[in-house]
Amino acid sequence: MGNLHIVTIVIIAANVMISYKGFGDYGFFDKYKFQVGPIKRGEQVRLFSSGFLHADMQHLLMNMLTLYFFAGVVIQLLSPLYFVIIYLGSLLLGSLLSLYFHKNEYHYSAVGASGAVTGILYSAILLRPEMDLAFIFIPIPIPAYIFGIGYLLYSIYGMKNKIGNIGHDAHFGGAIGGFIITLVLSPWLFKTNLLMIGLLVLPIVLLFVLKKAGKM
C-alpha cells in the first residue's frame, strides 16, 4: 500500500484542481455536481464530473488518502491501465446506483470521488483479502474481507435509514463496480479466491433482495 504511481498522482491532481475550482466558483460547482433533474434532462456528464468535485477540503482529503493507500495494491497486482478502468468504472457505477435509488428526487445532489475510491478499495480487498486493515478509531487490525463485508452492510443500513449527509448508495455502487470489473479483468481470482468472492458478493445480493422486497 502507498506506492505512488504516476497514474495515482494524475488522478489525485485532477481531483484537487477540479475540487479547488469548485470551492471558489459556485456556478462551476453547480454545473458539474451530480443532480438527478439535470441528469434526466440529458446532462450525463454530471455522472462523471461530480466524482472530481468535493464538498470541502476534509471531504477531499479523506478520499485522496484512501486512494493513496490502496491504489498501489491494484496497480501492482493488475496494471496502471486496469486501475484507471476500475476507478472510472466504479465512479460511473456509483453514480448510476445513486440515480437508480433517487430517480424520483429531482433535487437530490451529491459530489465526491467516494464511489471511485470505494471501487479501488473493494478491488484491493478482492485481490488481497488476507491483508489486515487498521484505523485510528479501531486500533485492532481487521482482515480486509471482513472490513469489506462490514462496510457494505453498514452502507445498506445507511441507505435504508438515510444516516448522515453521506452518499451511501454511491459508495455501494462503487464497490459493485470495483468487484465486477476486477473479476472481469482478472478471472484467475475464481480459481484462487472463490470463497472470498462468494463472501464479498453476499452484501451485494442482499441489497437487491431488499430492494425487490420493497424494504429499501
Side-chain angles (χ1 to χ4, degrees):
M1 293 188 291
N3 296 327
L4 202 57
H5 190 278
I6 183 62
V7 171
T8 310
I9 294 173
V10 169
I11 288 178
I12 291 176
N15 274 277
V16 170
M17 289 188 292
I18 295 172
S19 293
Y20 186 76
K21 169 70 173 173
F23 292 158
D25 186 341
Y26 182 76
F28 177 86
F29 184 90
D30 191 58
K31 182 178 180 180
Y32 292 109
K33 69 182 180 181
F34 177 97
Q35 189 167 12
V36 173
I39 291 171
K40 294 186 76 170
R41 290 196 298 269
E43 297 179 26
Q44 280 83 16
V45 67
R46 293 172 180 259
L47 295 171
F48 282 102
S49 61
S50 59
F52 292 90
L53 290 168
H54 287 82
D56 52 41
M57 191 61 72
Q58 181 180 3
H59 187 204
L60 173 64
L61 181 61
M62 290 298 295
N63 274 333
M64 293 306 98
L65 276 175
T66 304
L67 181 63
Y68 166 78
F69 282 116
F70 293 98
V73 175
V74 180
I75 291 172
Q76 180 182 8
L77 296 180
L78 296 180
S79 73
L81 175 60
Y82 284 0
F83 166 78
V84 173
I85 292 172
I86 293 168
Y87 185 91
L88 294 178
S90 298
L91 192 165
L92 178 60
L93 262 291
S95 291
L96 288 175
L97 194 68
S98 288
L99 187 61
Y100 173 66
F101 274 94
H102 299 282
K103 58 182 178 291
N104 296 320
E105 302 172 44
Y106 277 60
H107 295 289
Y108 178 85
S109 63
V111 292
S114 299
V117 172
T118 304
I120 294 300
L121 169 62
Y122 221 67
S123 177
I125 291 172
L126 191 57
L127 292 164
R128 285 192 55 196
E130 78 287 351
M131 66 179 173
D132 289 331
L133 306 180
F135 305 91
I136 295 174
F137 50 87
I138 305 177
I140 302 172
I142 302 172
Y145 72 93
I146 292 178
F147 173 80
I149 293 169
Y151 183 85
L152 290 193
L153 290 175
Y154 172 74
S155 294
I156 291 174
Y157 178 75
M159 292 163 65
K160 183 175 176 59
N161 295 282
K162 303 184 184 302
I163 295 176
N165 188 26
I166 299 171
H168 296 286
D169 34 32
H171 295 184
F172 205 104
I176 294 174
F179 182 81
I180 293 175
I181 298 170
T182 300
L183 290 177
V184 170
L185 296 177
S186 50
W188 50 267
L189 287 169
F190 286 102
K191 294 182 179 180
T192 60
N193 289 350
L194 185 58
L195 175 60
M196 292 303 171
I197 291 172
L199 290 173
L200 290 169
V201 80
L202 289 176
I204 297 173
V205 173
L206 175 62
L207 173 68
F208 289 101
V209 168
L210 290 173
K211 179 65 175 177
K212 188 173 179 61
K215 297 182 178 181
M216 291 294 295

